Amino acid sequence: MKQLNIATNNAHKITEIRNILPEFKIMGLKDLGILADIEENGHTLEDNALIKAKYLHRLTNEMSIGEDTGLEVKALSGEPGVKSARYAGPKCDANDNQNKLLRQLEGVQDRTARFRTVIAVVNRDGSFQIFEGKVNGQISESKRGTNGFGYDPIFIPDGYDMTFGEMAEDEKNKMSHRARAVEKLMEYFKILDQ
Ligand code: ITT
């Protein structure tokens, strides 16, 4: 079984990637015995994905993956974007972030938004590649559903009436931003294997 080492402490991301890629052994930082809170001080999702992948590569000298995701809201000029994790403050949780976003959009008609995931892979030799996956949608008027994590209860993907929070996890994992970025990573691996 091919192993993928991912520089993340987010257990939800690991669960989703395991669901998307059952044929791979997915290892997060904790699974690798690495206790680290990597400083994500980049200005873009691309910067932060690469910071995480490079950090893990430095420690292991193995192929390493970093993943950074943001929710980009049109009416807020792309915010929270790269600040999605700490949108409501340094010690905030998902609930605080959802509340802040709903407050910011009170009375706002255009609720267009997108989730964007960037995956950086640093190869054993230090070369790297970046892949992106996006899903367009709308921010709901209120929280709906308890599946998924983060902003899922307030995001309605285009073509659906439900939020990601109301959607079965398998369904989200078939068409999410993360699934699309992972798909591109898999295409890259296929090219490498040729
Ligand atoms: P790592 O850096 O350890 O990977 P993190 O939780 O800090 O974990 P990100 O910076 O990539 O991860 O995530 C930004 C925030 O966006 C995160 O706190 C989540 O709450 C939210 N988020 C990420 N993916 C999401 C998804 O698929 N659905 C809803 N919210 C998501």
Side-chain angles (χ1 to χ4, degrees), residues 34-115:
I34 298 170
L35 282 178
D37 188 11
I38 305 170
E39 198 188 350
E40 297 177 37
N41 53 11
H43 296 295
T44 62
L45 299 177
E46 285 78 3
D47 289 346
N48 282 343
L50 200 51
I51 286 170
K52 291 185 247 192
K54 283 185 173 170
Y55 181 98
L56 184 57
H57 179 262
R58 255 196 315 275
L59 287 184
T60 62
N61 275 317
E62 296 287 346
M63 186 188 69
S64 301
I65 289 171
E67 193 258 47
D68 209 48
T69 294
L71 177 59
E72 299 173 337
V73 179
K74 189 174 166 196
L76 302 175
S77 311
E79 289 224 333
V82 72
K83 295 181 232 154
S84 292
R86 310 274 169 268
Y87 187 44
K91 289 204 175 112
C92 66
D93 61 16
N95 209 32
D96 300 328
N97 286 334
Q98 295 160 16
N99 291 340
K100 177 167 178 190
L101 190 50
L102 289 177
R103 261 197 323 273
Q104 297 291 322
L105 290 181
E106 257 168 25
V108 175
Q109 291 287 319
D110 183 356
R111 305 179 76 86
T112 307
R114 69 177 182 191
F115 267 120

Side-chain angles (χ1 to χ4, degrees), residues 102-103 105-111 138-144 153-156 163:
L102 289 177
R103 261 197 323 273
L105 290 181
E106 257 168 25
V108 175
Q109 291 287 319
D110 183 356
R111 305 179 76 86
Q138 301 285 320
I139 302 301
S140 56
E141 294 283 346
S142 59
K143 301 178 196 186
R144 284 161 30 196
I154 59 168
F155 182 81
I156 306 168
T163 65

Side-chain angles (χ1 to χ4, degrees), residues 7-10 13 16 40 52 67-69 84-85 115 149-152 172 177-178:
T8 183
N9 283 313
N10 186 321
K13 282 188 188 178
E16 286 195 359
E40 297 177 37
K52 291 185 247 192
E67 193 258 47
D68 209 48
T69 294
S84 292
F115 267 120
F149 67 102
Y151 295 89
D152 281 344
K172 176 188 174 194
H177 41 295
R178 182 161 292 107

